[in-house]
Amino acid sequence: MSGSAHSTRESSLSVEELSVKYGTRQVIDNLTLAPIRAGRITAILGPNGSGKSTLLRAIAGLTPSHGKISLGEHKLSSLAQAKRAQLSAYLPQTLPPTVHLQVLEAVMVARRAGDAVSAELALDESVAILERLGIAALALRYMDELSGGQRQLVGLAQALVRRPSLLLLDEPLSALDLHYQIAVMEAVRHETEMRNLVTLIVVHDLNIALQRASDVVYVKEGKLIAQGGVKTVTTPKILADIYGVKARIEMCSRNNLHILVDEVV
Ligand SMILES: Nc1ncnc2c1ncn2[C@@H]1O[C@H](COP(=O)(O)OP(=O)(O)OP(=O)(O)O)[C@@H](O)[C@H]1O
């Protein structure tokens, strides 16, 4: 990992006056967020088509945008894409077609991309991340022979092994069974806390988001509706405004919020 990427580890992500258009259509509309802190998972929540993926892609520099995006002292919006990609890892909602590589090789390739580590170190770190995600048994399987959920887990391993300062995960749980949904959120939380990453994650399962994330950003129609600690910001009114549902928010025995939806409104 480059020294400059390490130096951002104590910092936060700031997004100011961000706008994204597709053609003439304004999809993100002058969005300014409070600083997103490192070492905590921030969930981005909102209805279908509200601009969550576009926001992640704009932060990753993969969709043209106007506005200012900074990670610590790095003005991401002014950086060359190669440097930006070195600081951040982005896991897309739809994974690109894969190549005929074994899982372990593919994770090692991700580790060595843009970062001159030895093959031995890349091997050790790749095995470690596969173990941490509970998928070491896949190490010698071929990428193009994996199931959708297995591909998603390997994609996450490739994102984490790169040791980014900024982790951008777009629906990383969508193809996963219940066991791996929890295992992935735990692994992401562990990496986020251990490496003091800024971690943004788009998820549709509100209960998983509220139980495993620390902070939340609610968006609708490309605008910020609310941002803050999950327990502070999540209210029946917000859920009605955002999703058009009548919901109860209850505290479960583990002191986590649990949302029960009674009906659509
Ligand atoms: N490449 C594109 N060209 C044109 N319009 C797009 C493009 N990508 C997304 N959009 C539109 O931008 C809006 C926001 O899309 P986006 O994928 O960011 O929403 P989202 O909140 O992530 O949705 P979902 O929860 O359904 O994945 C939608 O209306 C979508 O149709």
Side-chain angles (χ1 to χ4, degrees):
M1 172 56 68
S2 69
S4 56
H6 272 304
S7 66
T8 66
R9 288 259 158 79
E10 303 298 323
S11 47
S12 62
L13 177 77
S14 100
V15 173
E16 291 170 62
E17 298 175 354
L18 186 75
S19 292
V20 179
K21 276 184 177 178
Y22 292 121
T24 56
R25 184 136 177 268
Q26 190 85 44
V27 173
I28 301 283
D29 189 6
N30 201 28
L31 183 83
T32 295
L33 300 178
I36 293 176
R37 290 159 60 190
R40 301 156 67 83
I41 296 180
T42 298
I44 303 180
L45 299 174
N48 291 126
S50 55
K52 303 180 297 296
S53 297
T54 303
L55 174 60
L56 279 202
R57 288 180 56 79
I59 293 170
L62 300 171
T63 293
S65 63
H66 290 287
K68 204 171 120 201
I69 303 169
S70 305
L71 182 66
E73 79 273 24
H74 296 282
K75 285 200 173 64
L76 294 184
S77 37
S78 315
L79 278 186
Q81 187 55 29
K83 178 68 184 161
R84 205 162 164 168
Q86 204 182 12
L87 291 167
S88 59
Y90 164 72
L91 182 69
Q93 187 174 358
T94 308
L95 293 170
T98 188
V99 284
H100 191 63
L101 273 186
Q102 287 177 320
V103 165
L104 185 55
E105 290 175 290
V107 177
M108 286 176 68
V109 167
R111 177 65 184 100
R112 300 183 84 187
D115 198 4
V117 295
S118 68
E120 200 180 3
L121 184 61
L123 174 64
D124 287 350
E125 292 182 2
S126 299
V127 169
I129 200 76
L130 292 177
E131 283 174 351
R132 221 169 302 141
L133 289 174
I135 53 169
L138 296 180
L140 301 181
R141 297 274 302 276
Y142 280 95
M143 291 289 287
D144 49 1
E145 295 171 2
L146 299 180
S147 73
Q150 290 168 335
R151 283 279 325 280
Q152 203 167 35
L153 288 162
V154 176
L156 182 68
Q158 290 174 301
L160 292 175
V161 83
R162 292 183 47 221
R163 299 178 161 221
S165 299
L166 173 61
L167 188 58
L168 303 166
L169 305 175
D170 196 350
E171 297 196 33
L173 312 179
S174 61
L176 302 185
D177 65 36
L178 194 56
H179 171 91
Y180 277 116
Q181 287 180 27
I182 303 302
V184 160
M185 287 304 285
E186 283 303 307
V188 169
R189 180 139 87 173
H190 178 79
E191 293 292 314
T192 300
E193 289 174 357
M194 190 175 69
R195 302 193 187 283
N196 203 32
L197 310 182
V198 172
T199 297
L200 285 179
I201 180 164
V202 173
V203 272
H204 274 296
D205 186 323
L206 272 175
N207 282 314
I208 286 192
L210 299 188
Q211 285 166 18
R212 309 281 159 169
S214 301
D215 297 320
V216 67
V217 172
Y218 283 105
V219 292
K220 187 177 180 184
E221 295 171 0
K223 293 194 170 70
L224 177 67
I225 303 297
Q227 179 180 4
V230 288
K231 290 182 182 164
T232 318
V233 171
T234 304
T235 60
K237 182 173 182 323
I238 282 282
L239 298 178
D241 289 350
I242 297 255
Y243 294 106
V245 294
K246 186 172 172 197
R248 282 171 284 149
I249 301 172
E250 304 201 338
M251 194 67 85
C252 75
S253 55
R254 289 194 161 189
N255 208 25
N256 286 322
L257 297 185
H258 194 79
I259 292 174
L260 299 158
V261 177
D262 291 317
E263 56 189 312
V264 293
V265 290

